[in-house]
Amino acid sequence: MLILSMVALVSWRYGNPGAARLLEHRSLELPAPKDGRERHLVAVLAANGGTETTDFMVPYGVLRESGRMDVVSVSTRPGPVQLHPVLKIRAEQTTEEFDEQQPGGADIVIVPALHRPDHPKAIRWLQRQAESGAVIVGVCDGVQTLAHAGLLQGKSATGHWFSLSKLRRRYQDTTWVRDRRFVVDGRVVTTTGVSASVPVSLALVEAVAGAAQADRLALDLGIADFDERHDSDAFGLSLEMLLTIARNKLAFWNHERFEVPVEDGIDEIALALSADAWSRTYRSSVVTTHPGEQWIRSRRGLVIEAEEQETNTTETLRPVMEPSAAALDDALLDISERYGLPTANLVAMQLEYAW
């Protein structure tokens, strides 16, 4: 299934191979790699106590898949990282270990939404990375951590639709922008909601490797378009959504627990998009399982926890299929068929995804 919500169909963009590029020029430009490195070094930050699933896993997977950057997952302390609303991973390094190995800092730092946006250790580390010249990318409510760190003063930025009003009131020295999936201001990049993790990751690939490489990767992932355009007015809580939340939460006896069988080599992009969506229905929860509790390694190198498979579980989610990004549309369609269109629309609204 093709992703239809990234503004235009593939045929619109690629139907005439000889046509000039139809999309606006994306203004994301990156300085050359630091410290004489041949490739940009990307650190994807996680706070162990809570980090948004898709915000973290999609940039990690997309940038690794590009093959044009060195990407490392970094956590604020040793041990497992609890992703929200689902999944648990282990980062490759702590911030201290990263600093020891890379005293000059990263070239790019990805900041997902953190359970504690004012996480002191994360903020101090980000401030040092910014001072060293890194490009800081706040994905979804990761923008709140950037704001707490003082990295948005005097800059233009955007954020998740639900948070923009609060951000505008609290951080009046920042110009808050609507109708852009991501906003670039110098060495700071911010995005709208969760689903913007895909286009901003591809924009980073384009900045490093060029438009042709980014377009090829987008096609491989099943993405029709990844420019900045966005309709902010399409997102907001309606009375129907509030009633759907109440109805789904009150129907606790119908709450379902789904297993996602995982094994080494699983597509972490598709896994994140699917598991994240199913975990936002207010009717279902998701757990990754494998025969015998263990940690598995994803297609692009992320270490993910798998619980021991249960024999009495009645439902498993359908296997993750390619292309990677199609998993979100597939999940929303399945959610609509199982719980109704209002629940699927509620999930899409949380992800700021126009499907």
Side-chain angles (χ1 to χ4, degrees):
M1 182 184 303
L2 288 175
I3 295 289
L4 301 181
S5 66
M6 297 296 184
V7 179
L9 294 173
V10 172
S11 58
W12 176 81
R13 188 173 181 185
Y14 300 99
N16 180 2
R21 232 171 128 78
L22 297 177
L23 301 179
E24 298 176 7
H25 172 67
R26 288 180 284 272
S27 57
L28 178 51
E29 298 180 357
L30 298 174
K34 295 189 293 186
D35 298 337
R37 290 191 285 253
E38 294 184 0
R39 291 151 56 101
H40 287 82
L41 175 62
V42 183
V44 185
L45 178 64
N48 296 68
T51 300
E52 211 288 327
T53 303
T54 299
D55 293 354
F56 178 88
M57 292 178 68
V58 164
Y60 179 92
V62 172
L63 299 182
R64 280 228 167 169
E65 180 67 17
S66 75
R68 302 301 294 268
M69 292 169 254
D70 295 320
V71 184
V72 60
S73 55
V74 179
S75 59
T76 50
R77 58 178 170 80
V81 173
Q82 180 62 60
L83 299 181
H84 176 81
V86 63
L87 304 181
K88 187 180 290 186
I89 61 98
R90 283 188 184 271
E92 295 157 273
Q93 298 178 4
T94 64
T95 50
E96 287 88 349
E97 290 168 340
F98 181 87
D99 291 344
E100 289 176 4
Q101 295 184 23
Q102 306 292 341
D107 297 296
I108 304 167
V109 177
I110 308 294
V111 187
L114 305 183
H115 179 67
R116 281 194 60 189
D118 61 346
H119 193 294
K121 192 170 185 179
I123 285 175
R124 289 194 297 270
W125 188 76
L126 285 174
Q127 289 169 337
R128 292 196 300 271
Q129 292 295 318
E131 290 168 0
S132 74
V135 173
I136 311 295
V137 182
V139 180
C140 186
D141 274 344
V143 65
Q144 295 192 39
T145 300
L146 270 61
H148 277 291
L151 302 182
L152 300 182
Q153 293 179 3
K155 292 190 175 293
S156 296
T158 191
H160 190 285
W161 65 266
F162 188 78
S163 303
L164 270 177
S165 295
K166 179 177 68 175
L167 289 166
R168 189 175 290 112
R169 290 192 302 269
R170 183 166 183 177
Y171 300 102
Q172 298 183 19
D173 54 357
T174 300
T175 301
W176 295 100
V177 178
R178 293 168 54 83
D179 297 327
R180 287 290 184 272
R181 284 193 294 204
F182 56 89
V183 172
V184 181
D185 191 334
R187 296 191 178 184
V188 174
V189 184
T190 51
T191 83
T192 55
V194 178
S195 63
S197 58
V198 178
V200 78
S201 298
L202 288 166
L204 286 167
V205 173
E206 183 180 44
V208 169
Q213 177 76 11
D215 289 345
R216 283 193 295 270
L217 179 56
L219 284 175
D220 290 343
L221 295 174
I223 300 299
D225 170 55
F226 55 95
D227 77 340
E228 303 102 322
R229 288 174 291 182
H230 185 67
D231 181 9
S232 297
D233 291 335
F235 299 94
L237 276 178
S238 65
L239 177 60
E240 181 183 38
M241 289 183 182
L242 292 172
L243 291 174
T244 300
I245 293 172
R247 182 169 56 248
N248 289 4
K249 290 183 72 172
L250 289 172
F252 57 87
W253 60 88
N254 282 332
H255 187 90
E256 297 182 287
R257 183 177 187 267
F258 294 107
E259 286 190 13
V260 181
V262 296
E263 58 185 12
D264 286 339
I266 191 168
D267 186 332
E268 66 279 272
I269 297 173
L271 174 63
L273 292 170
S274 178
D276 204 334
W278 278 100
S279 299
R280 292 175 181 271
T281 65
Y282 294 90
R283 285 285 305 276
S284 53
S285 59
V286 175
V287 60
T288 52
T289 61
H290 188 279
E293 183 177 352
Q294 64 177 22
W295 295 85
I296 61 99
R297 190 173 294 275
S298 73
R299 177 185 300 182
R300 302 167 185 96
L302 191 63
V303 177
I304 302 171
E305 183 184 47
E307 296 186 12
E308 186 170 1
Q309 202 160 15
E310 297 182 7
T311 57
N312 60 347
T313 299
T314 58
E315 295 286 348
T316 60
L317 294 183
R318 64 161 136 169
V320 172
M321 307 293 287
E322 292 187 353
S324 301
L328 181 51
D329 271 348
D330 288 346
L332 289 170
L333 179 60
D334 290 346
I335 289 168
S336 176
E337 292 175 348
R338 192 173 192 92
Y339 300 135
L341 185 60
T343 296
N345 287 335
L346 173 64
V347 171
M349 189 65 63
Q350 293 174 71
L351 300 175
E352 198 157 348
Y353 183 68
W355 72 300

